[in-house]
C-alpha cells in the first residue's frame, strides 16, 4: 500500500489512510479512494460476493487493475518506455494520485518545508520521485507546462522543488523496528 501523512511538530496532522489502507491514494493492488456506489454496483449488478469485492478492492485494483495485473513500478516504468498504453496510464494515475495526496496534506500545515519519500517506491524509484515532484512544482509557484513530460522523463524536478524551498529527502523505512519499539512501550511502559 501507499500513503501520505502530513506531520507538524512531530505529530500527524492528516493521513490519506482511513479504516484500512485501501483508501487514500492509488497503490500497487489497492483502489485508493473510490466512489461507494462502485462497490454497491458490483454487489447489485455484477453478482460480487462480499469476499470477492474485498479481494477486488485490495488485491486486483490500483496499478494491477489498470496494467493487467502488473503492479511493480519498476516493471511499469520499463514497459512505459515502449508503446504500452496500460503501463503509461497506470503510472500517470499513480503519480497524479500521489501528488494530489501530498497537495491535500500540505493544506493542513502552516507551511510546507519538507517532503520525505520512503517505502519501496519512495526509496527505490528516482523516476517516481521526479514525476511526483514535477506535479507539485505549481504549488511552489514554479511555472510548469503540464502534459509535456512523460512518465519516463529524467528532468530534475526534485532539484526544482528544492530550489523552491522544499527540503526533499529519501528515508529508508524500518517498519519492523518501529513496531518493536511501540510494542515494547505498550507492554513495558516506563515507570
Amino acid at each position: 500500500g501507499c500513503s501520505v501523512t502530513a506531520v507538524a511538530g512531530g505529530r500527524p496532522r492528516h493521513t490519506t489512510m482511513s479504516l484500512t489502507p485501501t483508501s487514500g491514494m492509488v497503490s500497487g493492488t489497492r483502489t485508493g479512494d473510490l466512489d461507494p456506489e462502485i462497490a454497491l454496483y458490483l454487489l447489485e449488478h455484477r453478482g460480487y460476493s462480499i469476499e470477492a469485492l474485498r479481494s477486488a478492492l485490495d488485491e486486483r485494483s490500483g496499478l494491477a487493475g489498470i496494467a493487467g495485473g502488473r503492479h511493480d513500478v519498476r516493471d511499469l516504468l520499463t514497459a512505459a518506455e515502449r508503446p504500452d498504453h496500460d503501463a503509461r496510464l497506470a503510472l500517470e494515475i499513480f503519480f497524479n494520485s500521489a501528488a494530489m495526496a501530498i497537495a491535500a496534506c500540505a493544506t493542513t500545515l502552516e507551511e510546507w518545508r519538507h517532503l520525505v519519500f520512503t517505502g519501496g517506491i519512495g526509496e527505490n524509484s528516482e523516476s517516481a520521485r521526479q514525476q511526483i515532484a514535477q506535479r507539485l512544482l505549481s504549488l511552489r509557484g514554479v511555472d510548469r507546462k503540464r502534459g509535456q513530460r512523460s512518465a519516463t522523463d529524467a528532468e530534475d524536478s526534485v532539484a526544482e522543488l528544492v530550489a523552491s524551498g522544499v527540503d526533499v529527502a529519501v528515508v529508508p523505512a524500518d517498519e519492523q523496528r518501529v513496531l518493536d519499539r511501540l510494542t515494547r512501550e505498550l507492554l513495558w511502559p516506563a515507570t
Side-chain angles (χ1 to χ4, degrees):
C2 301
S3 66
V4 175
T5 301
V7 178
R11 302 199 41 92
R13 285 277 182 91
H14 178 73
T15 184
T16 57
M17 285 194 276
S18 185
L19 176 65
T20 72
T22 302
S23 67
M25 63 175 284
V26 170
S27 63
T29 62
R30 295 183 176 119
T31 60
D33 287 341
L34 180 74
D35 180 343
E37 285 295 325
I38 292 173
L40 297 174
Y41 174 83
L42 292 173
L43 290 169
E44 293 174 346
H45 301 287
R46 296 293 181 161
Y48 275 61
S49 67
I50 297 293
E51 295 79 22
L53 179 60
R54 182 171 287 118
S55 175
L57 298 177
D58 290 339
E59 300 168 6
R60 296 189 319 276
S61 294
L63 297 175
I66 299 164
R70 297 171 294 172
H71 57 85
D72 188 311
V73 169
R74 294 169 296 193
D75 295 340
L76 292 171
L77 285 166
T78 300
E81 292 174 2
R82 301 183 302 273
D84 186 327
H85 173 74
D86 291 344
R88 288 182 181 182
L89 178 62
L91 289 169
E92 186 72 18
I93 290 170
F94 177 77
F95 298 143
N96 286 340
S97 179
M100 289 187 297
I102 293 166
C105 281
T107 66
T108 68
L109 303 170
E110 285 75 31
E111 63 179 323
W112 176 36
R113 296 180 302 174
H114 307 284
L115 177 61
V116 178
F117 288 97
T118 191
I121 298 168
E123 289 176 45
N124 300 308
S125 179
E126 172 67 21
S127 181
R129 292 191 300 271
Q130 294 293 346
Q131 288 298 318
I132 293 165
Q134 184 267 323
R135 287 159 174 80
L136 296 169
L137 290 172
S138 63
L139 293 178
R140 302 301 294 183
V142 179
D143 185 25
R144 305 304 301 171
K145 292 181 181 178
R146 291 207 172 273
Q148 292 187 346
R149 295 183 188 185
S150 73
T152 57
D153 280 343
E155 292 189 48
D156 202 355
S157 299
V158 169
E160 292 178 72
L161 199 57
V162 170
S164 78
V166 175
D167 177 36
V168 179
V170 178
V171 176
D174 191 348
E175 293 173 349
Q176 289 80 12
R177 186 177 193 167
V178 172
L179 288 171
D180 178 68
R181 179 181 53 80
L182 293 174
T183 301
R184 289 172 190 275
E185 288 173 5
L186 180 66
L187 293 175
W188 301 287
T191 55

